[in-house]
Amino acid sequence: MPERLPAPVVDSHTHLDACGAVNAADVRAMVDRAEAAGVTRVVTVADDVASARWVTEASTWDSRVFAAVAIHPTRTKDFGDAERSEIERLARAERVVAVGETGLDYYWDYSPHDAQQEAFRWHIDLAKRVGKPLMIHDRDAHEDILRILTEEGAPERVVFHCFSGDAEFARRCANAGYVLSFAGTVTFKNAHALQKAAKLLPLEQLLVETDAPFLTPHPFRGRPNEPYCTAYTVRYLAELRQQSVEEIATGACRNAERVFQLPSVTTS
């Protein structure tokens, strides 16, 4: 377990069900481990309808857990009216704080690009209709993501989950007012372009996440990830940006509270 952070932080994107949580006791145990490291709240994210139902329910099991619902771009091949209706119903739940993860994934060949783009446009509209932030999955699709956001009109709050662009793309996103969330990938030794992006981003537009159970931070890369590992990424970002750990944690926490409209908490 990492040393407890000097200020609380939010894991802004995790998948508690994919980490192995099934019931309230499992969720509580995972969030207890996270809180011991200073990660006091988590946003658990869906990628299909079954997961969307689960994360919405899980967010009611523990006050430290919030949810985001959408259909992952790789699963949009068969995204019909029934799925849209259910995602919209769940997106309106009180503890669902974002529409996500949605976007485009051109790395995997699971769903045609046109189906992904149509679904992305629908999720953008949903985010605006329910008044919640849009949580974007962007893999090898930077230009189409920005183009579609411009064409559709971006929601007031946009989060690039597990940001994967370089410094120039980060600058363009920041100038558009978007918020960029950094996962364990920023700690990888070969992630030079991503590290340059993280250095230039204004602190007011930075979030941290695990994307657990994937993308465990260095030096634990390849091992199972959990929300408590957010603490490793916070410490890495502090060193990279030459800021204090408390400064990064406090800034990222405030940003999460603002973006997801979470209640403020005091340092314990």
Side-chain angles (χ1 to χ4, degrees), residues 122-223:
W122 182 86
H123 282 95
I124 291 171
D125 181 64
L126 176 63
K128 290 190 286 191
R129 285 190 283 113
V130 300
K132 295 180 180 180
L134 185 74
M135 182 184 283
I136 292 177
H137 173 103
D138 167 23
R139 191 164 189 188
D140 296 347
H142 298 335
E143 296 306 322
D144 278 355
I145 290 278
L146 290 187
R147 175 180 59 81
I148 291 171
L149 283 171
T150 299
E151 290 173 358
E152 295 296 317
E156 183 180 347
R157 291 163 289 153
V158 173
V159 177
F160 274 74
H161 131 71
C162 190
F163 183 76
S164 59
D166 60 12
E168 178 55 30
F169 188 63
R171 188 176 288 109
R172 292 167 64 193
C173 290
N175 288 343
Y178 305 150
V179 176
L180 311 184
S181 185
F182 289 89
T185 43
V186 75
T187 72
F188 295 173
K189 290 185 175 181
N190 60 348
H192 305 301
L194 185 57
Q195 289 156 6
K196 289 180 181 177
K199 286 177 72 173
L200 69 82
L201 184 70
L203 181 57
E204 294 74 23
Q205 290 171 271
L206 182 146
L207 293 173
V208 290
E209 64 170 87
T210 56
D211 198 20
F214 317 104
L215 309 179
T216 311
H218 177 81
F220 308 104
R221 186 175 181 180
R223 300 183 194 177

Side-chain angles (χ1 to χ4, degrees), residues 5-21:
L5 294 168
V9 76
V10 177
D11 180 355
S12 68
H13 189 114
T14 190
H15 301 273
L16 296 183
D17 48 349
C19 288

Side-chain angles (χ1 to χ4, degrees), residues 84-102:
R84 293 173 194 234
S85 177
E86 182 69 348
I87 292 298
E88 177 159 354
R89 182 185 73 82
L90 295 168
R92 296 182 183 277
E94 181 180 359
R95 295 187 64 81
V96 170
V97 297
V99 173
E101 58 187 286
T102 179

Side-chain angles (χ1 to χ4, degrees), residues 3-79:
E3 180 184 351
R4 186 181 178 91
L5 294 168
V9 76
V10 177
D11 180 355
S12 68
H13 189 114
T14 190
H15 301 273
L16 296 183
D17 48 349
C19 288
V22 174
N23 54 36
D26 297 336
V27 167
R28 190 177 309 112
M30 282 188 190
V31 184
D32 283 347
R33 286 193 288 274
E35 185 159 17
V39 184
T40 59
R41 289 168 292 178
V42 306
V43 179
T44 187
V45 182
D47 61 3
D48 61 17
V49 170
S51 178
R53 293 188 185 113
W54 188 90
V55 300
T56 302
E57 185 176 4
S59 70
T60 69
W61 294 339
D62 193 297
S63 63
R64 299 165 293 180
V65 177
F66 300 87
V69 301
I71 300 297
H72 193 282
T74 59
R75 300 175 183 270
T76 54
K77 182 179 178 182
D78 301 307
F79 185 40

